[in-house]
Amino acid sequence: MTERDEAAGGARAVEDGQQPDENRQQPDEDASTPTGSGVGTVCAPGDGGPTRVVHGPLAADPVPEIDRTTSSPDFSDPQWYLNRELSELSFQKRVLHEALDPRNPTLERTRFLALFSKNVDEFCMKRIGGLKQQMAGEVSDLTPDGRTPEAQWRLALETLRDLFERQDACYRELARESLPEVGVELVRYEDLPSGTRDALRAHFEAEILPTLTPLTFDPAHPFPFISNLSLSLAVRTRRKGEEPKFSRVKIPENQPRLLDVASAAAEGAGDPLDGPDEVDRFVFLEEVIAANLDLLFPNVEVLDWSTFRVTRNAEVRRNQEVAEGLIEMIEGVLRDRRFATVVRLEVSSDTPAEVRTLLREQLDLDEREVFERDPPLNLRHVSRLAELDRPDHSVPSWTPQPHPRFAGVADDETDRDVFDVIREDDVLVHHPYHSFEKTVQMFLGEAARNDDVLAIKAAIYRTSRDSQVIENLIEAARNGKQVAVMVELKARFDEENNLRWVERLEEEGIHVAYGTIGLKTHTKTALVVRREDDGVQLYSHIGTGNYHAETAKGYVDLGLMTNDADVGHDLTRLFNFFTGHSFHEEYRTLLVAPGTLRPGLVERIRTEADHARHGDGGRIVAKMNALEDPAVVTELYRAASAGVEIDLVVRDICRLRPGIEGVTDTVTVRSVVGRFLEHSRIFYFENAGDPEYLVGSADWMTRNLDRRVEAVTPIEDPEIRAELESILERYLADDRKAWLLRSDGSYVQRTPEPGEEPRSVQEELMRRAAADASEQAFRDRTVPAPARDESDADP
């Protein structure tokens, strides 16, 4: 069975009780229970990994069979589109699968368990919050798949409930079985020896108690404000002869959530406690607080305690047209978000009914928005376990490697600088395989110090709190260079950080643009203007990821460094748009949104369809984070109907339905979920033997094509084209971390053929980057000659 056959017919095999692939195990007995709402669900993995897809939409929300009775499909019909919200939740299931999969090292599984919590928190803040806001505004517009905001809200909450049950079960298995096997124990406070509890009590009284503030709700005190994503204790107390009272105690966020029992107890006892060194024991902070509530509520009876957590809407907006300025608007958004509507309440399963009712009523929530979960709530903090020094139970550490092209740069013996390298030939950097610090950051740092550099311009969407990139720009200004920076204040959840950088940059006299009315600036670009012997030269960087040194260690991104005059000219125009009052509708080479990007993509898709109709082949390979725009999906449907072979690598949201007979049976859609977050965008069009490659910041989403400023650059350098071809082929060959999308919205994880070793694109690219760096070091005579693994060769 081919991959396309599997993607199209695998769902039928499951429905018939047959395995779509004979090398997969039988699922657990309860695995055939339909779960989710048109969202692919993954099986419970066994020792050999995943068995099969167990997707089964709810009877109330079936994924429709495509009506193929007509030879001219109506691609405006909602049946052709998968739902955006449910597709994103399907991606979160694949993230959760990494925590479930026993093939992953135990401590790496805890990292994915925490990552799933973070991702779903953001989904609830942004997507559930947005849907609830639409409902409050009585928005009745239908999505491309034909759903109202309320229908999506109901289905998303129902799917989340299933996801939380799976996550809680995963945590129980890890805590009770897998973690103890590797010498890590998550212990209950009540199960600790009395001497240890006494020592922890002393630690609590000295270090934690002073930070706590109980807030009681009674006729004299209003119901306390509950901050977003905070974890709280719901405590009921009573004085003799009085009615019980409710108090909220916020779990302090500036204390470790997972207390190292030995360290905390030793602090409390004043000396080390006896215990086996080979075991790391942790206790949750809320249990330590709850066990010592008598110190917080003296002279009253503590009836019971439980935990709860609220999530607030992040989708608060202000009218940009009437705002006094973008800075004032963003400051207002941050204030509004703090007090925004609650969209989710999580309560521990031991919460008394009276407390649950009180919380729901005071927070004005529908019962659907209340999620009863096994404690502990908020598993973000278990990621701490992934940092333990237990190499046998963690993924091998990875250090981004030097780029071979920059070997010898700034070396006294070679007297070469970054600009010499880029002027010789374009450079493609690939993070986190290549070091961000020794490529992009070095490029901007050299520009700040180089006497011949006249100006630096950069577009910052997100960056770190201690950004060396920003420090380089400040250094450049101090060195007398013209510096202009576009800082996007509307970058969600980074607004406050970006505001701080705006203030710092302006204090240094740097020209700062805050954003554009009606648009977000999402492009990741930088331009260096340098005077050289043959005139002024332009050096450009166009990337798919942010100028953020920390995320560059965990996000897969690409960046082109080039001395191409046309690219530099286009970036000059783009930066003039950021800081001035102009918008160019024509560019020499870049595809820019809004403007030329959408028509440029559509033209290329249609050209492939024309080639296919005339017998000249036709192929598209595209890698992106999301494929959401209905108009682009329609163009892909038409191209596939004409016979174009289309391979899509889409990390999360995908509206397109592959595997529909006569329409998309030439289409495959993959999603790769691994240790690094897939964030790069690569687009390939075969063009009848004259192929085009493009990279840039834009996904194929309506917001990226119409409501954001994006930049995508064609790749002309033959060696870089060959490199991109190799990268894409590796993604298409991945059978360890790749999932295939089926026509009903479900996903099945690819597995190798019997007797074949699995291929993971991320593992292969790490090995190759390490081998390239070793070979370069050998050429420099700094290390012994490396032995190159044959698996590192291009496929």
Side-chain angles (χ1 to χ4, degrees), residues 481-525:
K481 305 178 193 313
Q482 291 292 318
V483 180
V485 184
M486 165 67 222
V487 180
E488 179 50 76
L489 293 183
K490 301 186 292 294
R492 188 149 34 191
F493 304 131
D494 275 84
E495 299 99 335
E496 189 172 358
N497 186 51
N498 287 359
L499 274 172
R500 282 197 295 267
W501 280 124
V502 163
E503 293 172 358
R504 176 83 188 281
L505 290 166
E506 288 186 329
E507 288 172 358
E508 298 290 338
I510 292 173
H511 304 297
V512 182
Y514 308 140
T516 306
I517 297 295
L519 299 172
K520 273 188 179 180
T521 300
H522 190 248
T523 178
K524 295 89 167 60
T525 50

Side-chain angles (χ1 to χ4, degrees), residues 437-452:
E437 290 85 350
K438 297 179 181 179
T439 53
V440 178
Q441 199 163 285
M442 182 172 65
F443 167 63
L444 294 174
E446 174 65 21
R449 294 181 291 274
N450 189 283
D451 293 338
D452 295 322

Side-chain angles (χ1 to χ4, degrees), residues 185-216:
E185 295 181 0
L186 299 175
V187 296
R188 297 287 302 275
Y189 184 91
E190 61 193 33
D191 294 334
L192 292 169
S194 59
T196 303
R197 292 200 304 272
D198 290 343
L200 285 176
R201 182 178 177 87
H203 171 77
F204 167 81
E205 191 166 10
E207 303 288 338
I208 301 171
L209 179 61
T211 70
L212 303 179
T213 304
L215 299 173
T216 299

Side-chain angles (χ1 to χ4, degrees), residues 352-396:
E354 297 87 347
V355 173
R356 176 186 171 121
T357 300
L358 173 69
L359 291 171
R360 184 175 64 80
E361 291 177 349
Q362 291 296 322
L363 297 171
D364 192 23
L365 291 170
D366 187 284
E367 184 61 35
R368 296 180 186 86
E369 298 171 288
V370 182
F371 295 87
E372 187 174 294
R373 307 194 57 180
D374 292 340
L377 304 183
N378 185 14
L379 294 173
R380 285 191 183 204
H381 301 275
V382 299
S383 61
R384 177 182 177 184
L385 304 179
E387 300 169 3
L388 294 175
D389 185 19
R390 292 181 178 271
D392 291 343
H393 307 292
S394 306
V395 293

Side-chain angles (χ1 to χ4, degrees), residues 34-328:
T35 53
S37 304
V39 181
T41 58
V42 292
C43 58
D47 291 340
T51 54
R52 63 179 183 179
V53 166
V54 291
H55 169 269
L58 297 175
D61 178 45
V63 174
E65 290 288 335
I66 298 292
D67 180 7
R68 296 295 293 115
T69 58
T70 174
S71 59
S72 300
D74 178 9
F75 293 129
S76 66
D77 192 312
Q79 67 178 339
W80 286 97
Y81 301 91
L82 297 172
N83 181 261
R84 182 216 191 282
E85 317 300 346
L86 300 181
S87 184
E88 183 168 344
L89 287 176
S90 183
F91 168 64
Q92 303 308 338
K93 289 189 178 186
R94 299 193 292 281
V95 173
L96 180 57
H97 177 84
E98 293 298 304
L100 288 163
D101 194 339
R103 295 173 296 177
N104 291 329
T106 299
L107 299 187
E108 179 71 353
R109 293 173 61 193
T110 66
R111 187 174 73 86
F112 275 100
L113 197 66
L115 181 61
F116 172 82
S117 292
K118 176 180 179 293
N119 290 354
V120 173
D121 284 349
E122 292 190 3
F123 178 86
C124 289
M125 287 189 287
K126 294 190 294 186
R127 306 307 305 177
I128 298 295
L131 291 172
K132 192 169 182 178
Q133 195 163 297
Q134 291 179 54
M135 291 162 57
E138 298 183 348
V139 175
S140 58
D141 295 346
L142 299 182
T143 58
D145 53 290
R147 289 182 170 91
T148 64
E150 183 175 356
Q152 296 177 89
W153 175 77
R154 290 172 181 266
L155 290 169
L157 291 178
E158 194 168 355
T159 305
L160 282 169
R161 200 170 304 280
D162 170 66
L163 285 172
F164 293 148
E165 290 176 1
R166 292 166 182 260
Q167 185 190 25
D168 291 346
C170 178
Y171 171 79
R172 289 195 300 271
E173 186 278 325
L174 280 167
R176 295 173 184 174
E177 300 176 27
S178 298
L179 286 170
E181 289 176 358
V182 303
V184 178
E185 295 181 0
L186 299 175
V187 296
R188 297 287 302 275
Y189 184 91
E190 61 193 33
D191 294 334
L192 292 169
S194 59
T196 303
R197 292 200 304 272
D198 290 343
L200 285 176
R201 182 178 177 87
H203 171 77
F204 167 81
E205 191 166 10
E207 303 288 338
I208 301 171
L209 179 61
T211 70
L212 303 179
T213 304
L215 299 173
T216 299
F217 174 52
D218 59 23
H221 301 89
F223 188 80
F225 172 75
I226 313 297
S227 53
N228 185 40
L229 300 182
S230 61
L231 181 65
S232 301
L233 288 184
V235 183
R236 289 198 306 163
T237 57
R238 180 174 58 192
R239 280 198 177 100
K240 188 174 182 179
E242 295 182 358
E243 291 296 313
K245 291 187 177 181
F246 168 90
S247 296
R248 180 255 184 152
V249 180
K250 181 178 179 179
I251 305 301
E253 296 172 352
N254 55 2
Q255 297 272 3
R257 174 81 188 287
L258 280 176
L259 284 178
D260 184 305
V261 172
S263 298
E267 288 180 11
D271 54 61
L273 296 177
D274 294 334
D277 294 334
E278 67 274 9
V279 176
D280 289 302
R281 290 185 176 84
F282 299 91
V283 62
F284 280 92
L285 177 60
E286 59 266 30
E287 290 198 26
V288 176
I289 295 173
N292 295 283
L293 284 174
D294 59 303
L295 297 176
L296 190 62
F297 296 94
N299 304 316
V300 295
E301 179 187 4
V302 177
L303 298 176
D304 51 60
W305 66 271
S306 53
T307 52
F308 70 97
R309 185 171 182 254
V310 302
T311 307
R312 294 184 179 272
N313 180 17
E315 197 65 20
V316 293
R317 298 178 181 176
R318 296 208 168 186
N319 188 336
Q320 296 184 36
E321 300 297 338
V322 300
E324 292 182 6
L326 278 174
I327 288 183
E328 290 83 358

